[in-house]
Amino acid sequence: MSVINSKIPEGPLAQKWTNYKNHQKLVNPSNKRKLDVIIVGTGLAGASAAASLGEMGFNVKNFTIQDSPRRAHSIAAQGGINAAKNYPNDGDSVYRLFYDTIKGGDYRAREANVYRLAEVSNSIIDQCVAQGVPFAREYGGLLDNRSFGGAQVSRTFYAKGQTGQQLLLGAYQALMRQVNKGSVTMYTRNELVEIVVVDGKARGIITRDLVTGELQRHFGHAVVLATGGYGNTFFLSTNAMGSNGSAAVKAYHKGALFANPCMAQIHPTCIPVHGEFQSKLTLMSESLRNDGRIWVPKKKEDAEAIRAGKLKPTQIAEDDRDYYLERRYPAFGNLVPRDVASRAAKERCDAGFGVGTGLAVYLDFKSAIDRLGRDAIEARYGNLFQMYEKIVDENPYETPMMIYPAIHYTMGGLWVDYELQTNIPGLFAAGEANFSDHGANRLGASALMQGLADGYFVLPYTIQNYLADDIRTPRMTTEEKEFVEAEKSVKDRFEKLLSIKGNRSVDSIHKELGLVMWDFVGMARNKEGLQGAIEKIAKVKKEFWTNVRIPGNKEGMNIELEKASRLADFIEIGELMAHDALNREESCGGHFREEYQTGEGEALRQDDKFAYVSCWEYQGTEKEPKMDKEDLVYEYVEMLQRNYK
């Protein structure tokens, strides 16, 4: 069993991070030049970490599967980034942001990490403004804020509907400054395919050049994984199709603990599935719930008429509309957390009130347009409305949007301690790749906050604390046996995949896995379904390893080989998610077990049994994973039943 030590500093909650920084070990400038840090990923967490560590004087190697760091999936984030600036003077504070995040995660996150996240949030905004990020501003020139789910204050800073893109451009320009200086070496179109561990410490990686097929060995005194989440296990998600969980799986195979894998977020406002040939889903920003009102027909016959094409939503009288979130949760209305809004939409559709294909609800802006005018709505959400119209071919200014929940984000990830270090010394995980901050449900606009917090304001301290003990460790040659063996294992794996020569495409098997995941490990789960899912995933796994067809060879560009290698890892993640969901006999946040709900259909936690982080340990290909626990001890917050009414 792994020894789990979260390394939470002593002292009052509000002083833990300050105490840590005051007593951490440092590396002087001349020694920093002797130390190499590998950072995998160029999204907000990876780019900000690489830029920061390069600026500090470390030698940084930064890897991305994209042709440019700017194409990292952080660019797709729309709605905004949270911070406790309290510019609207509506009662916000660092503590309130901390508490909202803990409560939003249904009391399944680590207290100290979440408080630190809230504490550094304001510095993120200052950093980004200094970089020139064009946040929205009020008429007088002050930064504007809007509301997001799970909060009763307006704390979300935004750049129209493209906040992630603007923040990533800020991090990118800081990163490229370091590339130009020579402190960061950028490796584009390179994918991590193995992690190298020497004497128990992460000391490098093996990468594959996605253009030439060449395998390369890279040494580092420390390795940072900032590779995002594993939502594409479900095949259909709001993630880019290239997003994958393979780096986390490589770490898991090397002994890193995988924490809370079943905690996956369903986003309530996505464009519904429209056919079996669809390859991904499109997010409609949570910011739309500021002014949009969600409803379904009150009368089942009206819903049936709409589904049959005999009635239009604009023909439904106001009194015949069920604004079900406003009805069920009057205190928060349409701005309840994502897991709550998603389950409510599913409940209405399951009850027969869904529109479109029956798996959709309306997001209506008529009230906001009448109140504010079309120009005001267009200024706030114009690019989102345009995107919706291009995809659906309906004008959302004139007819309500149709939305339905979809897989969007994963709160689970590699287990890390307070320093963002996994249980493998020298291996760190940042951003969505780790589990640390969001518990069982992430609040909207907090992913960008976490990514930049980890990269700009946490890792520069914690990784230095680790590297201070490595200043006498010389750069290691990549001819060491551990590097040679790691490269050979990658070659063997690719040769095994290419030798199968079956009859099914990678995508057809991935879709099969995705359907199993959505049906049994999705929005609603139960014991029987999860047990069946584990059996079904095992069959998918067997089908993959005996009947997948991968054209081409391992030399040169081979996109099908890339996809196959990632799918093998997705299948393993799917198994892990199902085991974790089966073990956690409670409902919390995005993990909803149908056997554990209140009389009103809300998530029912069992704090006496499951107030812990489930930490899964790899046991081998044919063996079930083993679970360790990190108990969640709350000293400053009382665990309560979440109430958004």
Side-chain angles (χ1 to χ4, degrees):
M1 180 177 289
S2 297
V3 177
I4 297 176
N5 179 8
S6 57
K7 299 181 188 173
I8 297 172
E10 296 296 324
L13 183 65
Q15 295 175 23
K16 288 182 184 294
W17 181 230
T18 300
N19 289 343
Y20 177 90
K21 291 187 290 184
N22 287 343
H23 297 95
Q24 67 159 110
K25 289 175 280 190
L26 301 174
V27 180
N28 78 25
S30 62
N31 283 329
K32 286 173 184 170
R33 293 192 290 270
K34 303 173 185 175
L35 297 170
D36 297 342
V37 180
I38 289 171
I39 298 177
V40 186
T42 60
L44 289 181
S48 59
S52 299
L53 294 173
E55 181 73 38
M56 292 168 70
F58 293 103
N59 294 304
V60 179
K61 297 179 180 180
N62 198 192
F63 297 82
T64 176
I65 61 173
Q66 310 292 353
D67 54 4
S68 164
R70 289 179 298 174
R71 292 180 67 86
H73 192 56
S74 296
I75 203 169
Q78 297 170 354
I81 177 171
N82 288 331
K85 286 285 195 182
N86 194 32
Y87 284 165
N89 196 28
D90 54 1
D92 202 7
S93 65
V94 168
Y95 182 85
R96 192 174 290 276
L97 173 53
F98 153 72
Y99 182 77
D100 286 346
T101 305
I102 282 280
K103 177 184 175 183
D106 218 351
Y107 305 95
R108 290 294 177 263
R110 193 188 287 149
E111 223 180 25
N113 288 58
V114 178
Y115 192 90
R116 178 178 62 190
L117 175 64
E119 186 178 350
V120 305
S121 66
N122 293 339
S123 297
I124 297 170
I125 303 304
D126 296 339
Q127 169 89 350
C128 294
V129 169
Q131 289 173 338
V133 172
F135 286 123
R137 293 178 181 268
E138 296 174 336
Y139 181 76
L142 298 176
L143 295 179
D144 195 15
N145 290 108
R146 57 189 178 198
S147 299
F148 259 60
Q152 291 181 305
V153 297
S154 295
R155 63 163 67 101
T156 305
F157 295 79
Y158 64 98
K160 209 166 186 179
Q162 49 185 247
T163 313
Q165 179 180 11
Q166 299 304 325
L167 292 173
L168 187 60
L169 288 173
Y172 168 75
Q173 68 189 25
L175 171 61
M176 296 312 292
R177 176 173 175 269
Q178 298 305 315
V179 172
N180 187 57
K181 283 176 61 179
S183 59
V184 176
T185 304
M186 178 60 61
Y187 297 85
T188 58
R189 303 292 285 142
N190 267 263
E191 181 167 21
L192 181 152
V193 288
E194 188 57 280
I195 295 169
V196 181
V197 176
V198 181
D199 295 332
K201 294 183 177 182
R203 290 301 192 194
I205 61 174
I206 308 296
T207 63
R208 180 175 183 268
D209 187 308
L210 298 180
V211 177
T212 67
E214 179 188 0
L215 295 179
Q216 300 170 350
R217 308 170 192 172
H218 298 274
F219 165 79
H221 289 89
V223 177
V224 179
L225 301 183
T227 48
Y230 47 92
N232 275 346
T233 303
F234 290 75
F235 186 72
L236 285 179
S237 82
T238 64
N239 293 177
M241 291 185 69
S243 298
N244 64 85
S246 289
V249 172
K250 304 310 179 210
Y252 172 62
H253 285 173
K254 288 293 183 180
L257 297 172
F258 207 119
N260 293 343
C262 77
M263 305 299 195
Q265 179 164 87
I266 317 288
H267 198 295
T269 53
C270 302
I271 296 177
V273 176
H274 59 71
E276 61 183 64
F277 298 109
Q278 198 166 350
S279 58
K280 77 176 298 295
L281 298 173
T282 303
L283 173 71
M284 287 285 103
S285 170
E286 181 165 323
S287 62
L288 295 172
R289 289 198 273 149
N290 273 266
D291 292 305
R293 301 176 70 194
I294 296 174
W295 64 276
V296 292
K298 282 183 180 177
K299 300 174 183 175
K300 197 170 287 189
E301 56 266 31
D302 285 346
E304 291 168 352
I306 288 173
R307 293 198 294 269
K310 298 176 182 178
L311 197 63
K312 295 181 179 179
T314 51
Q315 296 173 305
I316 303 292
E318 188 71 16
D319 290 344
D320 292 330
R321 299 180 178 192
D322 178 16
Y323 295 95
Y324 57 88
L325 291 178
E326 298 172 26
R327 168 174 57 82
R328 290 180 60 178
Y329 308 101
F332 283 74
N334 294 293
L335 287 171
V336 292
R338 292 172 175 178
D339 61 313
V340 176
S342 294
R343 281 194 295 274
K346 182 179 186 299
E347 184 277 328
R348 287 291 78 195
C349 291
D350 288 351
F353 294 92
V355 297
T357 62
L359 294 176
V361 299
Y362 288 125
L363 179 60
D364 197 332
F365 291 86
K366 184 178 185 305
S367 296
I369 291 172
D370 290 345
R371 184 178 78 253
L372 302 169
R374 173 170 170 158
D375 289 347
I377 298 303
E378 190 168 354
R380 293 178 183 179
Y381 314 114
N383 64 314
L384 299 172
F385 278 47
Q386 181 186 43
M387 183 166 60
Y388 180 88
E389 186 170 5
K390 283 187 175 182
I391 294 171
V392 180
D393 197 26
E394 287 186 351
N395 185 344
Y397 293 103
E398 297 173 0
T399 190
M401 288 183 179
M402 283 194 294
I403 57 168
Y404 194 70
I407 289 288
H408 175 60
Y409 184 92
T410 49
M411 287 75 67
L414 291 173
W415 181 90
V416 291
D417 59 23
Y418 189 75
E419 298 181 309
L420 303 186
Q421 188 170 205
T422 70
N423 56 301
I424 298 176
L427 181 63
F428 295 76
E432 192 179 354
N434 73 36
F435 88 100
S436 71
D437 292 346
H438 305 297
N441 175 65
R442 177 176 67 76
L443 291 185
S446 288
L448 305 185
M449 176 173 62
Q450 186 208 348
L452 292 180
D454 288 357
Y456 283 138
F457 298 107
V458 179
L459 275 174
Y461 293 96
T462 63
I463 204 166
Q464 188 174 192
N465 188 60
Y466 170 78
L467 289 172
D469 294 330
D470 247 5
I471 58 175
R472 291 185 179 86
T473 304
R475 290 188 174 95
M476 193 177 292
T477 172
T478 56
E479 297 304 317
E480 296 282 350
K481 66 180 178 63
E482 289 86 354
F483 283 88
V484 175
E485 290 169 359
E487 183 177 329
K488 183 180 184 303
S489 71
V490 173
K491 288 179 178 177
D492 291 346
R493 174 184 166 94
F494 285 151
E495 286 170 4
K496 182 178 180 181
L497 286 167
L498 289 164
S499 70
I500 297 170
K501 300 187 184 303
N503 298 309
R504 292 187 60 181
S505 69
V506 175
D507 281 353
S508 73
I509 299 176
H510 197 168
K511 285 181 182 179
E512 185 179 344
L513 172 67
L515 286 172
V516 173
M517 296 299 296
W518 182 252
D519 288 344
F520 302 105
V521 200
M523 259 196 290
R525 305 158 175 179
N526 58 60
K527 183 176 181 179
E528 183 181 357
L530 290 166
Q531 289 173 333
I534 291 170
E535 295 175 3
K536 287 179 170 65
I537 295 169
K539 292 178 181 176
V540 172
K541 188 175 189 176
K542 182 178 180 182
E543 177 72 0
F544 173 81
W545 285 106
T546 59
N547 200 26
V548 72
R549 181 183 71 252
I550 305 169
N553 54 53
K554 65 178 184 292
E555 285 76 37
M557 183 180 290
N558 189 336
I559 293 173
E560 289 301 304
L561 180 59
E562 293 170 34
K563 286 160 56 177
S565 181
R566 295 169 189 169
L567 177 54
D569 296 329
F570 280 135
I571 292 171
E572 195 155 345
I573 292 171
E575 288 181 313
L576 203 52
M577 291 181 72
H579 278 290
D580 191 38
L582 182 62
N583 170 77
R584 191 171 283 275
E585 295 181 335
E586 66 165 354
S587 292
C588 57
H591 168 65
F592 190 75
R593 285 284 295 265
E594 292 174 331
E595 308 97 316
Y596 305 98
Q597 53 183 303
T598 67
E600 297 177 318
E602 305 294 344
L604 182 62
R605 298 194 318 270
Q606 298 208 70
D607 294 335
D608 57 330
K609 298 178 181 177
F610 295 98
Y612 61 74
V613 179
S614 54
C615 307
W616 293 87
E617 192 175 347
Y618 183 64
Q619 299 295 299
T621 307
E622 302 302 325
K623 296 180 180 179
E624 289 191 1
K626 177 183 175 185
M627 193 191 76
D628 303 323
K629 300 177 183 178
E630 179 200 340
D631 290 329
L632 291 169
V633 179
Y634 279 43
E635 298 179 55
Y636 301 92
V637 170
E638 183 183 359
M639 292 185 182
L640 301 171
Q641 176 68 35
R642 287 191 307 173
N643 186 349
Y644 293 99
K645 298 181 183 295

